Amino acid sequence: MDTSYPPEEQLPPKRGLPPASPAPRDHLIWAIFNTLYMNFCCLGFVALAFAVKARDRKVSGDVEAARHFSSKARCYNALATAGSMVLPLLLGALIVTGVIHLSKLAQESVGFFTYQLSRSEEEDQ
């Protein structure tokens, strides 16, 4: 009975990343930032979920699944960041244009009412 170990050339290949392909990024820090500070429509939380999945797949050695989840995490992070930057700017622009429009309406109405009041005083005499 031969109890020796198999020869070294018959060892199973090591699991892990091939040396030629770089490891996919998981975008976990960006997702945490979006979840805590700029959570627009819960996109930061969704990005965090995909970033954790990408990190888990990368650790287990499934590079293709890690790339897939990393791509989704990057997409949701970009959407959350863009939405969180664009919405305050849009809201500010709407407030400024609303104030300008209301001030013009107020000036026109003051002119209208002063004209009506001065005209009715002349008719009374």
Side-chain angles (χ1 to χ4, degrees):
M1 181 161 141
D2 188 17
T3 59
S4 64
Y5 290 105
E8 289 184 21
E9 62 251 9
Q10 293 180 1
L11 288 177
K14 292 182 182 180
R15 290 186 68 184
L17 301 174
S21 67
R25 297 180 61 190
D26 53 15
H27 307 288
L28 187 63
I29 303 298
W30 190 14
I32 290 171
F33 179 74
N34 278 333
T35 301
L36 294 178
Y37 296 109
M38 298 186 294
N39 199 3
F40 170 69
C41 292
C42 296
L43 291 176
F45 182 71
V46 174
L48 180 65
F50 280 115
V52 169
K53 284 183 181 183
R55 179 164 283 198
D56 289 344
R57 296 295 193 259
K58 184 169 70 171
V59 168
S60 70
D62 191 2
V63 178
E64 289 304 315
R67 279 198 182 106
H68 175 73
F69 289 128
S70 173
S71 172
K72 286 190 174 215
R74 184 180 61 229
C75 179
Y76 283 116
N77 276 323
L79 285 173
T81 303
S84 297
M85 297 295 175
V86 169
L87 277 177
L89 293 175
L90 182 64
L91 184 63
L94 286 174
I95 288 172
V96 167
T97 56
V99 166
I100 291 171
H101 183 67
L102 286 176
S103 68
K104 286 183 181 179
L105 281 176
Q107 287 174 354
E108 291 173 3
S109 65
V110 166
F112 174 75
F113 286 122
T114 56
Y115 174 73
Q116 290 286 51
L117 289 175
S118 65
R119 187 172 149 203
S120 64
E121 291 173 358
E122 290 175 1
E123 289 177 358
D124 289 339
Q125 292 177 358

